[in-house]
Amino acid sequence: MIKKVINNPKDVVVETADGLILAYHGDVKKIENSNAIKRTEIRPGKVCLLVGGGSGHEPLFAGFVGENLADGAVSGNVFAAPAPDQILAATKALDQGKGVLYLYGNYAGDNMNFDIAAELAESEGIATKTVRIYDDVASAPLERITDRRGIAGDLFVIKIAGGAAAKLDSLEEVYRVAAKARDLTRSMGVALAPGSIPETGQPTFTIGEGEIEIGMGLHGEAGVSREKMMPADELVSRMTDLILKDLPFKSGDEVCLLINNLGATTMMELLIVNRKVRALLAEKQITVHDTLIGSYCTSQEMAGFSISLLKLDGELKQYYDLPAKSFAFTKG
Amino acid sequence: MTVEKLSLSEFKGAMLAIADGMIASKDLLTQADQAIGDGDHGIGMARGFEAVKAMLSEKNFAQIEEVFFSTGTSLLSSIGGASGAIFGSFFMGAAKGVKGCIELDAPGFKNALAAGLEMVKKRGGANIGDKTMVDALEPAVQAAMAYNGNSLGELSLQVYIAAEAGMQRTKTFTARIGKAKTLGERTLGFADPGSISITLIFKFFSDYLKQMA
Ligand SMILES: Nc1ncnc2c1ncn2[C@@H]1O[C@H](COP(=O)(O)OP(=O)(O)O)[C@@H](O)[C@H]1O
Ligand SMILES: [Mg+2]
């Protein structure tokens, strides 16, 4: 059993939500009959943004509900997509008559449960549209981009979509901007040690002493290669190279950079990573508009990190630069 | 003697036996998912069938389809994840195959299985060889269609045997769908957890009919 600061493992999801709501100091409230939260104040007539997915990745998703961000978030059990009735309850609680955009990571479970909820919402007269995030370049080749997983790049798409949902008043338009942000986001992770599921206390995968897996997914899904541990600069060079050539990012591009802790990696290491990423971007004449470093999309106590880049254009930059306030992401 | 058909209350008893069996299989299913998925399959199935048990003890039914449908919605709303949608769809789809029936006989069970498979494929888009529960379910449905007798007991045994063989074949496939898909070749040698679950569901149903006979 891996040690965790929990009570009954069956209660982790509900107790996490309770703690989170308290930390928001009244800015969000619980949605009845659902393990979901919504902003306390939602402007009537606004297009709403609902994000969600399995629990266990905190602060993703529920930590990003707030001004110019998501209007609500629905959480499933640990590493399992929320059920359709939970998503539907959240959809009904959010809708202001202009429809709801669903934004979530591209996994079989999330896709099916959100699709069922969308069908149920439609039969109740609520319009929805869906943007699935697939930023993880390690998870499938570019020709099969819609098979890729969604990882920390989720945050960039939520930031842009949240801004668009605050400013634009048609679901179609918000969808267009969110999809564009998704299409211009690329990420890649590396795992040094596994996380574990509270209910079993067991690691989600095994990895040899002194080994790392480049490109490993948030639930222990395989990446591109297993290797011996290597110096930070070498590791970062390999990951950044794969990200840059995928979009591809080019000289003259302006990007936002996210260095995300998967759970157990220290800020010291993340800063060492940042130093090398910036050197590589500078070499390519790619400028960095904003940098985020910290725990945004985790996998319990998994050790490792991911690097995400969002390529900005004029429109995206305008939404990115809007102020935002939430538990896990605040921007002046 | 084998059982020809089940009355409504007997069918409810069978569903209860399946639920108990699935709850008791939690660790086995979780270990299967630890090998090639994210290690939560047993937890989800146990949670789902706990909900089915609670639902069965509360509700009264007038028709077979209601038992199937309520089992499906209980799984759908309590499991979440891929398996909630898939196993929920299976039972909700199966309900469509037995519209208006107040007993479950062999032809009714065949129709239920076929309708369940159709719903699973519609929802998840998986085909034979993708290393999912469809690899056990589809051959089970084919075996059911090939059965010409009128004993529900015999039919359910054929279904279980075919599902078991399909489940064993998943060991030779690399996953192309779900969280295991990106493990690719590393999934060789391991059975798909969802295919184990559907096989067990059929096994517990067949066992229930056997002990009734
Ligand atoms: N599209 C699909 N069609 C049929 N079965 C599927 C599909 N996606 C996943 N499954 C089944 O679900 C099982 C995984 O369930 P589970 O581990 O509970 O969900 P999750 O993948 O969300 O963690 C797989 O073993 C597979 O049999
Ligand atoms: Mg799983």
Side-chain angles (χ1 to χ4, degrees):
Chain A
M1 278 297 252
I2 289 167
K3 282 179 275 185
K4 276 191 198 286
V5 186
I6 56 173
N7 299 303
N8 185 337
K10 284 193 158 69
D11 296 333
V12 292
V13 169
V14 172
E15 292 183 358
T16 302
D18 290 349
L20 182 72
I21 290 167
L22 290 166
Y24 265 106
H25 285 274
D27 287 348
V28 305
K29 61 182 185 196
K30 190 177 157 41
I31 295 173
E32 289 300 318
N33 304 317
S34 184
N35 187 41
I37 60 169
K38 62 179 273 197
R39 292 174 64 198
T40 312
E41 311 264 343
I42 297 180
R43 176 170 55 81
K46 166 183 198 302
V47 174
C48 285
L49 177 63
L50 178 63
V51 297
S55 292
H57 304 300
E58 291 71 21
L60 190 76
F61 286 88
F64 305 126
V65 174
E67 188 198 351
N68 295 328
L69 290 167
D71 296 292
V74 53
S75 307
N77 285 294
V78 176
F79 296 173
D85 51 347
Q86 305 261 319
I87 301 168
L88 180 66
T91 307
K92 290 206 260 190
L94 290 187
D95 184 45
Q96 304 291 319
K98 283 283 177 64
V100 178
L101 182 72
Y102 291 165
L103 189 58
Y104 55 88
N106 186 38
Y107 295 90
D110 296 272
N111 298 350
M112 290 188 275
N113 284 283
F114 274 95
D115 279 355
I116 296 171
E119 289 161 21
L120 296 171
E122 190 188 4
S123 69
E124 301 206 17
I126 301 175
T128 66
K129 280 193 83 76
T130 295
V131 173
R132 295 175 177 162
I133 302 163
Y134 35 73
D135 54 313
D136 183 359
V137 302
S139 51
L142 191 58
E143 312 84 78
R144 290 194 284 115
I145 192 166
T146 58
D147 278 354
R148 287 180 176 175
R149 304 179 287 251
I151 56 173
D154 288 358
L155 174 58
F156 285 145
V157 188
I158 295 170
K159 176 71 186 75
I160 303 276
K167 298 291 174 202
L168 301 171
D169 55 19
S170 96
L171 181 57
E172 287 294 332
E173 274 293 283
V174 177
Y175 165 83
R176 181 187 62 75
V177 175
K180 178 160 126 187
R182 183 266 320 275
D183 292 340
L184 293 174
T185 301
R186 294 291 188 279
S187 304
M188 175 123 186
V190 62
L192 280 57
S196 66
I197 298 186
E199 240 186 276
T200 60
Q202 299 301 314
T204 53
F205 60 92
T206 50
I207 188 160
E209 188 75 23
E211 270 189 334
I212 59 173
E213 180 150 338
I214 298 180
M216 180 171 258
L218 286 178
H219 314 88
E221 305 98 321
V224 286
S225 59
R226 249 181 212 212
E227 317 244 349
K228 291 267 164 288
M229 191 60 210
M230 60 183 83
D233 285 1
E234 190 183 334
L235 177 59
V236 170
S237 298
R238 289 187 49 183
M239 292 166 68
T240 307
D241 188 46
L242 290 167
I243 294 171
L244 291 180
K245 70 181 186 213
D246 194 84
L247 190 62
F249 294 87
K250 297 186 301 287
S251 164
D253 283 352
E254 191 176 15
V255 299
C256 295
L257 166 64
L258 164 61
I259 303 191
N260 173 61
N261 173 19
L262 288 171
T265 293
T266 62
M267 183 55 88
M268 185 186 84
E269 291 161 281
L270 301 176
L271 291 169
I272 292 170
V273 168
N274 184 47
R275 164 191 160 276
K276 182 63 181 176
V277 175
R278 288 298 295 271
L280 293 165
L281 294 178
E283 233 172 67
K284 289 244 177 324
Q285 275 118 29
I286 295 169
T287 53
V288 178
H289 176 66
D290 193 28
T291 303
L292 305 173
I293 304 179
S295 302
Y296 294 96
C297 168
T298 63
S299 186
Q300 297 292 289
E301 65 276 55
M302 190 196 283
F305 64 91
S306 58
I307 302 168
S308 302
L309 291 179
L310 160 69
K311 178 177 157 165
L312 293 172
D313 66 6
E315 184 180 41
L316 296 189
K317 195 171 174 177
Q318 163 203 338
Y319 296 121
Y320 187 87
D321 284 343
L322 291 173
K325 183 162 174 266
S326 68
F327 167 70
F329 179 71
T330 292
K331 189 173 167 14
Chain B
M1 266 303 285
T2 69
V3 176
E4 256 192 40
K5 55 187 170 196
L6 293 179
S7 69
L8 188 57
S9 70
E10 286 165 345
F11 180 55
K12 193 172 155 177
M15 201 58 94
L16 209 53
I18 291 172
D20 283 329
M22 293 308 286
I23 293 164
S25 307
K26 179 175 172 181
D27 289 348
L28 179 160
L29 293 171
T30 290
Q31 279 153 20
D33 199 30
Q34 270 158 8
I36 64 170
D38 56 359
D40 64 355
H41 187 59
I43 300 169
M45 292 307 275
R47 186 171 59 235
F49 279 97
E50 290 282 6
V52 168
K53 249 184 110 164
M55 176 279 298
L56 289 172
S57 72
E58 275 168 20
K59 269 197 179 158
N60 289 311
F61 303 97
Q63 293 181 331
I64 297 288
E65 71 183 270
E66 294 167 12
V67 181
F68 273 123
F69 194 79
S70 296
T71 298
T73 53
S74 295
L75 294 175
L76 184 69
S77 62
S78 61
I79 303 181
S83 46
I86 288 297
F87 286 85
S89 296
F90 172 68
F91 285 98
M92 288 159 74
K96 293 189 185 176
V98 288
K99 280 222 175 304
C101 299
I102 52 163
E103 316 177 304
L104 185 69
D105 58 9
F109 187 47
K110 285 186 186 180
N111 289 339
L113 289 174
L117 173 65
E118 193 188 321
M119 192 73 140
V120 164
K121 293 185 103 173
K122 186 175 151 224
R123 180 56 62 198
N127 286 306
I128 290 279
D130 288 340
K131 198 169 180 124
T132 70
M133 59 84 86
V134 170
D135 290 309
L137 179 58
E138 188 155 324
V141 174
Q142 282 160 0
M145 294 309 156
Y147 175 78
N148 288 319
N150 48 17
S151 154
L152 185 62
E154 274 174 24
L155 170 61
S156 69
L157 184 62
Q158 297 304 317
V159 164
Y160 158 51
I161 290 169
E164 162 90 28
M167 178 269 280
Q168 294 292 349
R169 275 196 297 280
T170 65
K171 292 182 183 170
T172 66
F173 301 154
T174 51
R176 287 199 290 251
I177 259 181
K179 284 194 182 118
K181 84 178 166 203
T182 49
L183 281 173
E185 310 248 297
R186 259 187 259 167
T187 62
L188 278 173
F190 297 99
D192 170 65
S195 76
I196 302 176
S197 277
I198 192 72
T199 303
L200 287 173
I201 288 170
F202 292 144
K203 176 185 189 298
F204 298 133
F205 186 56
S206 169
D207 287 351
Y208 180 83
L209 288 158
K210 214 181 283 171
Q211 58 86 70
M212 267 182 71

